[in-house]
Amino acid sequence: MLPNKKILAGFMGVLLISACFEKNDDTASETAEMTVDAIRVEARDVPLSFEYSARAQGSKETQVRARVGGILLKRNYIEGTKVNAGDVLFEIDPAPYKVALAQAEAQLAQSQAQLKSAQNDWNRISTLFKQHVVSEKSRDDSLAALDTAKAAVQVAQAQVDQAQLNLDYTTVTAPISGITSLQDQSEGSLISVNGDAGLLTSITQVDPIYVIFSASENEILSLTVMTDKGMIADPVKGKDIKARVKLGNDAYYPLSGKINFINPTIDENTGTIKLRAVFPNPEGRLRPGQFLRLVLEGLVRQNAIVVPENAVMQGANGAFVYKINDKGTVEITNVKTGFTTEEEGWIIDEGLEPGDVVAVSDLMKLRQGMNVRPRLEKEAEKEEILDGEA
């Protein structure tokens, strides 16, 4: 029985050792044959777009104020509607100003009569002086009287002009074209030219309309540096940059605009730079004070290398990707990321070269030095086509 036990024990040992080797072989095979999705990066021109929070603002906003006091007789517009520059908005009682104008005109006529008399006296006295009939003092007095009469006519004429101007001011016209606000003073009110009592309404020009937004200092600096390095096509004075507006429902406003102002200073509190875009708004769909999303398009990142966002990991030394070399070995490669793309990818500014293979799946299972079998996007597409045909 003893020999049989030894033989049985030896046989069991051989089976156990064989099983261990088979297990080790299977594990090694799984590690060596692990397949991961990967992409081969290429340099290409990538259009850039940037989105910002923004608010609409009227391109012109003005207060309509009374320039003379009096009783407000009439309002000639409908509140909240569009008016054109020069339209009559309000009428102030003109009666006292007509009286003032008549008085000024009468004073002018009197001054003109006095001037005519002084002119006749001067003509007579100057002739007599040449004949040595009157004294030099008489001549000087006559000349002074003539100059005084001329000055009086000028003063009277200025009073007439002022009275006419005040009378004209009783008709309040729109200084600009735009949308009117609520009436601040009702008909029958006594209007004053001082303080809020002189405010009648406000007008906001909405076509064109401004959209105000802010960009970070670092973003503007990055764009400037990349442009200087030739990484971004240099737009000709911003003419290639197109602004678009995204409404609250994520629908785009149909008309595009352009940047027409960049603030030369940086906000110390937020570290941002204020910019302004102007948009045509013929139908008034955009309203002052409206919150919007502004999208800038037209910049192109030249010869950019793009990887999916999920391919970029974060480590102690910053961002990195798993690059797979020609031998199928995984390498941790530190990268410097730039802007994102519309396809939810990262533009890699430093760390990768055209032709590099980057893993995009099973990233949590990968380690430095592992051997994997990369399945490139083109290969995956072929397999899907074959599976579909089958």
Side-chain angles (χ1 to χ4, degrees), residues 113-365:
Q114 292 174 349
L115 173 60
K116 185 177 181 180
S117 176
Q119 183 68 53
N120 292 334
D121 288 342
W122 166 249
N123 292 338
R124 182 172 58 256
I125 294 297
S126 61
T127 300
L128 293 174
F129 177 76
K130 292 177 182 179
Q131 297 174 354
H132 304 287
V133 175
V134 297
S135 66
E136 184 177 353
K137 182 179 183 305
S138 297
R139 185 204 64 177
D140 293 343
D141 290 343
S142 177
L143 180 60
L146 177 61
D147 291 340
T148 300
K150 289 180 178 179
V153 169
Q154 291 177 346
V155 171
Q157 183 63 58
Q159 291 175 345
V160 169
D161 294 341
Q162 182 63 58
Q164 183 64 59
L165 193 62
N166 289 339
L167 179 60
D168 294 340
Y169 284 158
T170 60
T171 301
V172 182
T173 59
I176 62 172
S177 300
I179 305 299
T180 57
S181 66
L182 292 174
Q183 178 183 358
D184 285 81
Q185 303 289 345
S186 62
E187 292 87 340
S189 300
L190 177 61
I191 303 302
S192 171
V193 296
N194 299 318
D196 293 338
L199 178 61
L200 301 178
T201 189
S202 299
I203 300 177
T204 302
Q205 183 173 327
V206 297
D207 184 25
I209 195 167
Y210 290 153
V211 176
I212 310 299
F213 64 101
S214 296
S216 70
E217 175 188 2
N218 292 334
E219 190 170 71
I220 297 296
L221 180 60
S222 297
L223 287 173
T224 302
V225 171
M226 289 184 178
T227 301
D228 293 340
K229 291 182 177 180
M231 301 168 69
I232 291 180
D234 187 9
V236 182
K237 295 182 179 180
K239 292 182 179 179
D240 297 333
I241 300 178
K242 181 172 65 175
R244 302 185 66 190
V245 161
K246 187 184 291 186
L247 304 175
N249 58 356
D250 286 338
Y252 277 98
Y253 178 66
L255 303 177
S256 60
K258 61 181 180 180
I259 304 298
N260 71 339
F261 174 77
I262 300 176
N263 200 339
T265 60
I266 298 173
D267 190 313
E268 297 179 357
N269 297 322
T270 62
T272 58
I273 300 175
K274 183 174 291 187
L275 298 94
R276 185 179 70 194
V278 59
F279 289 81
N281 190 32
E283 298 179 1
R285 291 181 59 184
L286 300 180
R287 291 279 183 168
Q290 185 176 359
F291 285 99
L292 305 164
R293 300 292 296 178
L294 185 129
V295 179
L296 288 183
E297 301 173 343
L299 291 175
V300 177
R301 172 69 162 82
Q302 297 178 325
N303 299 319
I305 292 177
V306 181
V307 299
E309 287 186 354
N310 65 326
V312 179
M313 308 286 285
Q314 292 293 329
N317 297 323
F320 68 91
V321 298
Y322 287 114
K323 186 171 70 173
I324 304 172
N325 62 22
D326 296 338
K327 298 180 180 180
T329 303
V330 175
E331 299 176 355
I332 294 179
T333 303
N334 292 321
V335 296
K336 180 180 178 181
T337 57
F339 296 114
T340 57
T341 67
E342 295 180 354
E343 297 82 14
E344 298 183 352
W346 278 111
I347 295 177
I348 305 300
D349 291 335
E350 297 178 6
L352 293 177
E353 297 293 335
D356 288 343
V357 176
V358 176
V360 295
S361 70
D362 299 309
L363 302 183
M364 302 304 296
K365 300 178 181 179

Side-chain angles (χ1 to χ4, degrees), residues 71-76 88-94 170-172:
I71 301 299
L72 184 62
L73 296 181
K74 189 177 181 182
R75 169 171 59 85
N76 296 317
V88 177
L89 303 181
F90 298 95
E91 296 178 18
I92 298 173
D93 184 10
T170 60
T171 301
V172 182

